[in-house]
Amino acid sequence: MSVLLETSAGDIVIDLLVDYAPKLCENFLKLCKIKYYNFSPVYNVQKDFSFQTGDPVGPDSKDSDGGTSIWGHIGGNAKRTFPAEIHPKLKHAERGTVSMATVQSQRDPDERLAGSQFIITLGDNLDFLDGKAAIFGKVVEGFDALEKINEAFCDERGRPLVDVRIKHTVVLDDPYDDPPGLVEPPESPLPTKAQLATVRIGEDDNLEEENDVAAIEKQRREREARAQALTLEMVGDLPFAEVKPPENVLFVCKLNPVTTDEDLELIFSRFGKILSCEVIRDKRTGDSLQYSFIEYEDQASCEQAYFKMQGVLIDDHRIHVDFSQSVSKLSDSWRTATNSKRRQGGGGFGGVSGLEKKRQYKAAESFSFLKNEVL
């Protein structure tokens, strides 16, 4: 007498020990026959020990009643459990031993009651379960499925994070007559609303992002940029990691070393009012580093200069123009000159005013703290 359990971890074939536990085997066979176990979750997984199933919605659900025997399913709640047969010769000695989970009877301390929940062992010589769980079968095929369940990632209650469920049950041989009132469904029933509510990560859920190569590369670059920005914030080169470059500042490079601030300002001023124009120079020698930053009064002038001045020849050098992406500190001399122009009403390198306000706020805060300390 055998039953096939089709689970999301693989197929498991159980041989039933009808000579030792006829009542337990009948209960299990008939529950499988009416598809009672369909979509039941695997829970209480204990690595190299056992796992439990048989509650159709799982013990964590508020809708769970703990499961019922076939007689309770037919005759009502009064017959939900029945006395379990615990044969003294049957032991949990081998991996794959199948037994009904039982509870102690309130009327008789020596009697144990079973319902629908059952246990399958994942280790050998588990004598702790002897006398507590009622053995009625053993796994003869599907040990690879048991190993998958044994290795599943579980929460603190032993519930696999990726659902493992009984998908279907097939009775291969049934020697018992059907009890009065048993109705076998013509096909496997769909999962109930209560069962669907307990789904965590379904077996068919794709945990990998299905993106094309370009999208994956874009995500990688964005993650790398965020990490670099956070590093610059930590070392003090950025006021905060999410700082954005100014939208009214142009970056001009490939300049001729002889090109001066005044030359650039004169050429670029036809697109709008320039607040600052700085050719970046070596701190020690004063030689041009052949790139500059030009800050316009408004974004529209900056955009017009970008489109018109790309590749223009200045002092026999064809320049390259782009929107500035810099928000970090440059050389002390250039920042000093820029701040000097800003104080005179000439503007400054984009974002300096905001940063200076932050410094003033912190300075005021520090002063207030020192003042309170003195008082």
Side-chain angles (χ1 to χ4, degrees):
M1 279 33 98
S2 303
V3 170
L4 168 64
L5 301 182
E6 297 178 3
T7 78
S8 53
D11 293 348
I12 300 173
V13 177
I14 300 173
D15 271 0
L16 302 181
L17 306 173
V18 294
D19 293 334
Y20 293 93
K23 200 72 172 176
L24 293 170
C25 292
E26 181 183 3
N27 177 61
F28 183 71
L29 276 170
K30 299 308 178 183
L31 288 175
C32 290
K33 189 172 185 177
I34 65 171
K35 312 304 179 188
Y36 182 81
Y37 291 125
N38 280 28
F39 212 68
S40 296
V42 167
Y43 47 88
N44 199 18
V45 177
Q46 302 177 64
K47 186 175 174 64
D48 298 327
F49 187 79
S50 69
F51 71 85
Q52 195 167 336
T53 184
D55 183 339
V57 295
D60 296 333
S61 173
K62 61 181 178 59
D63 299 311
S64 172
D65 62 359
T68 182
S69 70
I70 187 62
W71 300 284
H73 181 76
I74 297 171
N77 194 54
K79 299 180 179 180
R80 196 165 67 88
T81 60
F82 65 97
E85 307 152 315
I86 299 181
H87 199 285
K89 288 187 177 180
L90 299 179
K91 305 293 182 182
H92 294 84
E94 297 180 350
R95 188 183 202 194
T97 301
V98 186
S99 54
M100 277 286 173
T102 66
V103 294
Q104 190 179 57
S105 172
Q106 295 180 350
R107 293 176 298 180
D108 183 359
D110 296 327
E111 183 180 61
R112 300 192 72 84
L113 304 176
S116 66
Q117 298 188 46
F118 61 95
I119 296 168
I120 299 181
T121 60
L122 299 172
D124 299 324
N125 301 316
L126 304 180
D127 54 1
F128 173 80
L129 295 174
D130 295 340
K132 299 181 180 67
I135 298 173
F136 67 92
K138 58 181 180 179
V139 174
V140 292
E141 292 182 34
F143 286 93
D144 54 340
L146 297 188
E147 184 59 28
K148 286 182 181 179
I149 297 173
N150 191 43
E151 297 297 330
F153 289 102
C154 301
D155 62 14
E156 67 278 0
R157 295 184 178 181
R159 173 80 185 273
L161 300 181
V162 177
D163 272 355
V164 180
R165 293 182 181 263
I166 298 174
K167 298 164 66 176
H168 192 61
T169 56
V170 180
V171 177
L172 303 179
D173 188 12
D174 181 5
Y176 300 99
D177 294 332
D178 291 343
L182 184 145
V183 178
E184 182 179 1
E187 58 185 13
S188 292
L190 295 173
T192 65
K193 185 177 181 180
Q195 287 177 318
L196 292 173
T198 64
V199 174
R200 290 185 170 181
I201 302 175
E203 57 165 323
D204 297 327
D205 290 350
N206 187 3
L207 302 182
E208 300 294 332
E209 297 181 356
E210 296 182 353
N211 293 328
D212 57 27
V213 176
I216 293 174
E217 177 63 16
K218 180 181 179 182
Q219 292 176 357
R220 186 193 67 79
R221 290 179 180 273
E222 289 175 350
R223 287 195 297 268
E224 184 177 340
R226 286 195 295 269
Q228 291 175 347
L230 185 60
T231 302
L232 291 174
E233 178 185 355
M234 293 170 64
V235 301
D237 280 355
L238 289 181
F240 50 93
E242 294 79 12
V243 65
K244 295 182 179 180
E247 298 179 338
N248 62 328
V249 178
L250 280 183
F251 170 74
V252 183
C253 63
K254 298 185 178 180
L255 295 172
N256 191 311
V258 303
T259 302
T260 63
D261 302 350
E262 292 76 13
D263 296 335
L264 280 182
E265 185 170 0
L266 180 62
I267 295 171
F268 279 84
S269 61
R270 66 189 181 96
F271 301 105
K273 183 179 179 180
I274 294 178
L275 300 181
S276 65
C277 178
E278 299 289 336
V279 174
I280 309 307
R281 300 183 177 277
D282 184 274
K283 185 177 180 180
R284 292 179 298 174
T285 64
D287 294 337
S288 171
L289 298 179
Q290 297 179 263
Y291 68 93
S292 69
F293 292 93
I294 302 174
E295 181 184 8
Y296 282 93
E297 186 177 42
D298 55 72
Q299 183 180 346
S301 300
C302 184
E303 291 175 352
Q304 189 179 8
Y306 168 77
F307 289 115
K308 296 291 186 179
M309 296 301 292
Q310 186 66 261
V312 168
L313 205 64
I314 298 179
D315 293 332
D316 295 329
H317 277 229
R318 199 167 296 280
I319 64 170
H320 175 74
V321 180
D322 204 348
F323 294 104
S324 173
Q325 299 298 314
S326 176
V327 292
S328 63
K329 296 178 182 178
L330 299 174
S331 65
D332 291 341
S333 59
W334 175 62
R335 184 169 291 275
T336 300
T338 304
N339 286 338
S340 176
K341 284 193 175 184
R342 178 186 170 279
R343 294 188 195 100
Q344 296 169 7
F349 178 59
V352 168
S353 57
L355 299 183
E356 188 154 315
K357 286 180 181 178
K358 285 181 178 291
R359 288 198 297 271
Q360 290 171 352
Y361 172 75
K362 291 179 179 179
E365 195 175 50
S366 300
F367 174 75
S368 177
F369 174 75
L370 291 174
K371 183 178 179 182
N372 292 336
E373 285 292 311
V374 171
L375 293 176

